Structure formats: structure tokens, C-alpha cells
């Protein structure tokens, strides 16, 4: 069964097409990632699914409930965590959680099973004003507040943006645990490395879905040979590769350069000799397996 | 219903979490009542009067004395003539110049109706108006005084029949402006706090993003509106009660009418102003926008309410604007209940107009407040 179904949804803000004919199906109990750069339309899509925004055309359902006609029912069964921290900073951690439990007509005790693992981490600060929490703690509290009424579907809009790497990792572990509790989780993120942590991912850019696949599927679909070049001076290498007629794409990845040749005949030896001719010294060149980031960059460059 | 109670509880929690707001809620009615009621007084005393006595006779000095003894004026003798008096005007040293011409007593005794010259500095037109009325009052008293009567006995006057007008001031026999002002100032305080607190509230939720959370929770519009208005109505009630207590203790205010009726009117009025604040909040995107619009509204409400200037003396078009102003109805009803002891039937017009306005503004909220964009 599909928890979320999106059919040909479009939404424009003036001239800008925020969502351009989007169709997507998310299965029951799935941890589904929506990956895309800023301004791709992620938040707009989320807002339309949690009934905050009405789309221009197309329709979508959450748990078989229409996002336009069954608005009230949807509000009862979804949990939504917006991209910006939006809890009451002048209320304490506990008061925030209690408010969101009460307002849904439930109690913290009833939802405790679901939030327990996260709540124990912030419980020591329960009498602190939530505005005075650290960034990671705020996200945990926001997650608790979105979960306390035991939703069937959880919408997390960029939950890890602006959170440190350790907290990000923790956060994803929490999501995996929640998945075990049969909650469908739809999460958006601009970080491509987080894609491998999802069951399936969709890549979105300029309001269009570029691909929907499992992380492994995405990597497998990468059909070209990828070379890693470890240069001494990265700028010289990029400049030289840019002018090379056998070059298809070259991108800086940390200290190294990921390079794809125009045809699959480009070999390690050819690349090395090209550098030798150009008078540029490199540490090594080797063929590597693509990471999911390579795949997404390939998708987004629109050359596929 | 429970959800509404939770919203109210949360709102009150937030209000009392903010120490400044709590102080303002408590201090505003106390301080403003004390300061404004004493300051916003229409009585004008100590008008400086420049007296030019060219006649220097017993009758001219008796006129002078009657001015001094009236209690409204402070006498300043001007030795020379009117041109010296004008200089005093320029320096704002005197407000009124009274000149008694040569041969005043002589003409008077010959039955020639001599004229006395009076000039009033009308830069402040209200002060000038009050000054003129004090002058006529003083002269009227003078006509009845011993010195005038004895002087006129000797005078060669034909007896002129006069009609004496006797005043009696009802409901406020001592013409005490304080009790008149108290009711109005109290309403103004409730208005200011009510509009400000509500207009900044919803827009603040917009600014910090919590409005989205509130919009995705399954509550109806009416639950939301009630949850947002009731907490501030409670604040208004508390402020009003505090104000009444201050008025009774410090100003010895007597409430002639029913206290219950007073509170019924207050509740209806709060419904209107708080909804206006709510409406402002819906249309604003930032707190500063909401602040500007509510300041504008408050100015119009207070200045066009008959609090400081009587509505009857406004031009016709302004009186129509006053008819749209909820505060004018509230002040009218309050003054009637407190000073006159009016019953519900006397204030039923104000009551029904306010109810009508409340319904109107609330239906506008219903139309314009959207949970879905």
C-alpha cells in the first residue's frame, strides 16, 4: 500500500514554477528521502502534503485521504516538522511538548512509547526555555513535538540543515528506529550523503523529479567510468581538464577531482600522460566506484 | 472545547512568562489613571491678566478686585497703555488684557454705558474660550456685587429689566472633571492594551513560524479565534478591575449604576477591540507592520471618541466617523453608568451597536484568516 501518492502536482508562485508536474508514490513504512538543492521545491511539496498550501493542479493523498477534501483528517494523522525551528521559545521544553500533546487531544503518556528514545536525551533540560537549547537539542524537541500525537506519516522538512555532523548522524539513527515502529517517514535534505540512509530517494531540481530509486539503484544506474585524481594543486588540474577535448566532466571532491571521460576508452594511462604533457604533477589517478553524490551531480548536470 | 482551553492556557503562560508585559499590564492602569486624570483637566486656572487702569476710580478698582477674587486670574498691573500690554502678550506673560478707559466712572454715572476693552490671547483656542467664559462669569458676579449695586444706585440709570438665569448641574453637581475623565481614560487604557497585545500576537506566531504548526493541528477556525481572544479578554478584565479599584481608592469615584452592567458592556467592548487587533494581525506580515497599523487605529479611536473633545462640537463629517468608533460608544455608556446610574435600557443603543461591530469584525476574521494558503 502507498502512504503518500502524488499525481501530477503543479504549483507556481508568479513566474516561478515551484512544482512542475510532480508524481511520486511512497510506500507504507518507508523512509523516503527527497534530495535537492535549495529552492528545488522541497518545502513547497511538503507544505502541500500537510495541507498548508493548495496546489494549482494535480492531486495528492496521504493515507488514502485527499489533501484538499480530507484536510481535517489528514491533520490528525500527520506529524510535520518545518524547516525552521518553530516551537515557542518562551515556553520550556516540557511545556512545548505538553502543549502539542494536549492540542491533539492526547497526552504525553500515550505517545511516550514513540518518543521515549529521543525524549530521554532532552529530558534533563525539560525545565529550560526551548529558545535556550542548542541547535541539535532543538531539533530533537521539534521531532518529539511532531511525534507526540502518534502520527502515521511523519514529514520532516530539512531536519538536519544547520546541525553538526555528529548530531546529524544521531538524528538519522533515530529515524531508522522510528521506521521500525511502522511510521512512514518522508524527509527532505539538501545533503546528498544522507541519501544512502533512506530506503528510496527522489532527486528534485527546479520543481521536477529527476529520478526515483533506491540508493543502490541510483549507484548502479551510473554507467560511466569514474576516475579519482589526487592532484598537488587542484586548481591547475581542474583548469587543464576543462580544456581537454576528451573530458566529459570534472568536479572537485574535497582534496581530489572526480573525472569522467568523454568516451569509455579513456584509461588511467591516458589521463596520466595528458598530465605529463601539460606539465602538471599529480599524486595518483585511479578508477573508483561512484558514490551517490557522483550520481546526483551527474543527474543534476542534466547530461544523462 | 479542551483544545480551546489548551490554547488559552498556553497563551496565558506566554503572557506571564514575559515580565515586562506583566508589569505593563499592572502599571498601565494605575499610572495612566493617576497621571492622565489629573493632567487631562479642562479646568484652567491661574490665567494671567494684565490690567490697564486708566480711570483709577473706585469703580474701576472694584472691577479689578472682582477679577482677583474670582480665583481664576492672576493679576499683573500694567502701568502704561495697550502697547505695553501687547509686548506682554508677545512674551506670553499675560493671557488676557483688560483695559478700563478714561472717564469710565464718570460716563457710568452719567448713564452712558461706558465700554471696557478686553483682549484674549487665542493661540490656544480652547484656553481662550475658557478664559472668555470666565470673564463673562466674573462680570456677571460683579453686576450683583455690593460695590456695583451701590455705584449704580447713585448713577443716573434707567432701570433695565434683566432675566436671571439659574444653573444647576445634574449628575455632576460640582462639575468635577475627574469623575468624567476617569471613565473615559479607563476605556482608553483597555483599548490600547487590547489592540496592541492581540495585534502583535498572531503576527508573532507568523514571524517565528509556529503559525504553521498551529495550522496543521486539527482545530477549527472558531476554536483558534476563541483561543486567541479569551486570554486577552481576561487581561482586559483584570486591567479594568484594577483601574476601577484605583479610581475608587484614589479619586473616590462613585459608581451610580450597576457594576454587573459595567462588566457586561466591558465584555462586549473587549470582543470588538480584541477582534480588531486580531484582524490587524492577520493582515500583517511582521510585528512592526502590526504595530504601525494598531497605533494608527488607536489614535483614531481615542481622538475621535469624545474622550477629550465633545463629539457635539465636531463638524458633521467628523461626527459620522465617530459613529464608526467603538470606543465612543463604550465611553458614552461608561459615563452614563458611572455618573448617571443608567440602566441597561438606557445604554441599549451602545450595547447593540457594539455587538453588531463585534459580529462584523469577527466575520471578517473568519473570511480573511486562512489556514491554507
Amino acid at each position: 500500500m502507498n502512504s503518500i501518492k502524488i499525481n501530477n502536482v503543479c504549483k507556481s508562485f508568479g513566474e516561478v514554477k515551484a512544482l512542475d508536474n510532480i508524481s511520486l508514490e511512497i510506500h507504507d513504512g518507508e523512509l523516503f528521502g527527497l534530495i535537492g538543492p535549495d529552492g528545488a521545491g522541497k518545502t513547497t511539496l511538503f507544505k502541500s502534503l500537510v495541507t498548508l498550501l493548495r496546489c494549482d493542479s494535480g492531486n495528492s493523498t496521504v493515507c488514502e485521504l485527499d489533501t484538499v477534501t480530507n484536510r481535517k483528517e489528514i491533520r490528525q494523522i500527520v506529524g510535520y516538522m518545518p524547516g525552521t525551528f518553530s516551537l515557542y521559545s518562551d515556553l520550556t521544553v516540557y511545556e512545548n511538548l505538553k502543549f502539542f500533546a494536549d492540542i491533539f487531544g492526547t497526552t504525553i503518556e500515550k505517545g511516550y512509547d514513540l518518543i521515549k528514545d529521543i525524549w530521554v536525551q532532552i529530558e534533563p533540560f525539560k525545565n529550560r526555555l526551548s529558545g535556550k537549547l542548542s541547535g541539535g537539542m532543538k531539533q530533537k524537541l521539534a521531532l518529539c513535538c511532531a511525534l507526540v500525537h502518534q502520527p502515521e506519516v511523519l514529514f520532516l522538512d530539512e531536519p538536519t540543515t544547520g546541525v553538526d555532523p555528529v548530531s546529524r548522524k544521531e538524528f538519522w539513527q533515530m529515524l531508522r528506529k522510528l521506521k521500525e515502529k511502522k511510521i512512514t517517514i518522508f524527509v527532505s535534505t539538501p545533503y546528498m550523503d544522507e541519501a544512502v540512509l533512506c530506503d528510496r530517494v527522489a532527486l528534485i531540481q527546479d520543481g521536477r523529479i529527476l529520478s526515483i530509486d533506491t540508493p543502490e539503484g541510483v549507484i548502479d544506474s551510473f554507467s560511466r567510468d569514474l576516475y579519482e585524481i589526487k592532484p598537488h594543486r587542484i586548481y591547475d588540474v581542474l583548469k587543464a581538464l576543462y580544456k581537454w577535448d576528451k573530458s566529459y566532466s570534472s568536479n572537485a571532491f574535497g582534496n581530489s577531482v572526480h573525472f569522467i571521460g568523454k568516451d569509455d576508452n579513456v584509461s588511467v594511462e591516458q589521463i596520466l600522460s595528458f598530465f605529463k604533457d601539460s606539465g602538471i604533477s599529480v599524486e595518483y589517478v585511479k578508477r573508483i566506484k561512484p558514490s551517490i553524490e557522483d550520481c546526483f551531480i551527474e543527474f543534476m548536470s542534466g547530461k544523462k | 472545547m479542551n483544545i480551546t482551553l489548551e490554547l488559552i492556557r498556553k497563551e496565558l503562560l506566554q503572557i506571564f512568562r514575559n515580565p515586562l508585559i506583566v508589569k505593563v499590564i499592572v502599571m498601565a492602569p494605575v499610572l495612566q489613571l493617576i497621571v492622565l486624570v489629573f493632567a487631562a483637566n479642562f479646568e484652567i486656572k491661574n490665567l494671567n491678566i494684565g490690567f490697564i487702569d486708566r480711570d483709577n476710580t473706585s469703580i474701576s478698582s472694584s472691577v479689578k478686585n472682582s477679577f482677583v477674587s474670582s480665583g481664576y486670574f492672576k493679576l499683573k498691573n500694567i502701568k502704561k497703555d495697550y502697547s505695553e500690554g501687547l509686548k506682554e502678550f508677545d512674551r506670553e506673560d499675560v493671557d488676557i488684557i483688560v483695559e478700563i478707559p478714561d472717564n469710565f466712572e464718570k460716563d457710568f454715572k452719567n448713564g452712558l454705558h461706558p465700554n471696557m476693552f478686553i483682549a484674549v490671547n487665542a493661540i490656544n483656542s480652547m484656553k481662550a474660550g475658557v478664559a472668555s467664559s470666565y470673564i463673562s462669569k466674573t462680570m456677571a458676579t460683579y453686576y450683583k456685587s455690593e460695590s456695583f449695586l451701590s455705584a449704580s444706585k447713585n448713577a443716573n440709570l434707567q432701570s433695565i429689566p434683566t432675566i436671571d438665569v439659574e444653573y444647576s448641574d445634574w449628575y455632576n453637581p460640582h462639575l468635577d472633571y475627574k469623575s468624567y475623565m476617569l471613565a473615559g481614560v479607563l476605556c482608553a487604557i483597555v483599548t490600547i492594551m487590547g489592540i496592541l497585545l492581540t495585534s502583535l500576537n498572531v503576527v508573532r506566531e507568523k514571524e517565528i513560524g509556529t503559525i504553521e504548526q498551529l495550522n496543521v493541528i486539527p482545530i477549527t477556525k472558531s476554536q483558534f479565534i476563541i483561543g486567541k481572544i479569551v486570554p486577552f479578554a481576561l487581561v482586559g478584565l483584570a486591567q479594568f478591575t484594577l483601574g476601577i479599584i484605583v479610581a475608587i481608592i484614589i479619586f473616590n469615584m462613585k459608581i451610580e449604576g450597576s457594576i454587573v452592567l459595567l462588566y457586561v458592556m466591558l465584555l462586549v467592548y473587549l470582543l470588538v477591540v480584541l477582534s480588531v487587533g486580531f484582524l490587524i494581525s492577520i493582515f500583517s506580515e511582521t510585528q512592526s507592520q502590526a504595530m504601525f497599523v494598531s497605533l494608527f487605529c488607536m489614535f483614531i479611536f481615542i481622538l475621535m471618541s469624545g474622550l477629550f473633545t465633545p463629539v457635539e462640537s465636531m463638524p458633521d463629517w467628523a461626527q459620522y466617523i465617530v459613529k464608526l468608533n467603538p470606543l465612543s460608544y463604550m465611553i458614552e455608556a461608561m459615563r452614563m453608568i458611572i455618573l448617571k446610574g443608567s440602566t441597561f435600557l438606557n445604554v441599549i443603543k451602545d450595547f447593540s451597536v457594539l455587538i453588531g461591530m463585534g459580529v462584523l469584525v469577527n466575520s471578517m476574521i473568519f473570511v480573511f484568516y486562512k489556514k491554507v494558503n
Side-chain angles (χ1 to χ4, degrees), chain B residues 166-211:
Chain B
E166 288 280 336
Y167 294 97
S168 71
D169 297 303
W170 278 46
Y171 306 122
N172 191 359
H174 306 292
L175 287 181
D176 180 3
Y177 278 102
K178 286 188 197 83
S179 38
Y180 176 75
M181 285 305 289
L182 271 173
V185 170
L186 208 53
C187 295
I189 294 168
V190 171
T191 311
I192 292 173
M193 288 300 285
I195 292 192
L196 265 185
L197 284 178
T198 38
S199 69
L200 291 180
N201 183 277
V202 178
V203 78
R204 205 182 70 144
E205 300 234 21
K206 274 190 203 169
E207 275 189 352
I208 58 175
T210 43
I211 193 82

Side-chain angles (χ1 to χ4, degrees), chain A residues 40-164:
Chain A
K42 301 189 294 290
T43 302
T44 310
L45 183 62
F46 271 59
K47 280 191 177 172
S48 81
L49 289 174
V50 298
T51 75
L52 283 176
L53 198 71
R54 193 175 287 180
C55 287
D56 302 337
S57 64
N59 67 297
S60 38
T61 59
V62 176
C63 292
E64 317 273 290
L65 297 165
D66 190 274
T67 49
V68 177
T69 50
N70 300 100
R71 230 182 270 145
K72 268 197 101 171
E73 293 85 343
I74 288 186
R75 285 172 184 160
Q76 194 71 50
I77 58 159
V78 301
Y80 171 53
M81 184 174 150
T84 48
F85 177 71
S86 46
L87 297 173
Y88 297 99
S89 48
D90 48 358
L91 296 183
T92 66
V93 169
Y94 179 76
E95 283 163 351
N96 264 299
L97 185 65
K98 185 169 167 10
F99 173 69
F100 282 101
D102 291 338
I103 210 94
F104 277 100
T106 178
T107 59
I108 298 178
E109 289 71 36
K110 278 188 195 157
Y112 193 70
D113 187 44
L114 206 53
I115 61 168
K116 193 175 69 189
D117 293 334
I118 313 159
W119 178 244
V120 289
Q121 299 178 46
I122 47 175
E123 201 172 10
F125 312 104
K126 71 179 201 180
N127 291 323
R128 190 179 289 188
L129 293 184
S130 70
K132 296 197 168 142
L133 290 175
S134 69
M137 288 291 177
K138 279 181 182 168
Q139 292 305 82
K140 283 173 192 164
L141 174 60
L143 186 58
C144 281
C145 291
L147 277 173
V148 72
H149 64 287
Q150 300 162 283
E152 292 176 35
V153 185
L154 188 59
F155 290 90
L156 306 171
D157 190 9
E158 301 199 17
T160 54
T161 300
V163 175
D164 70 80

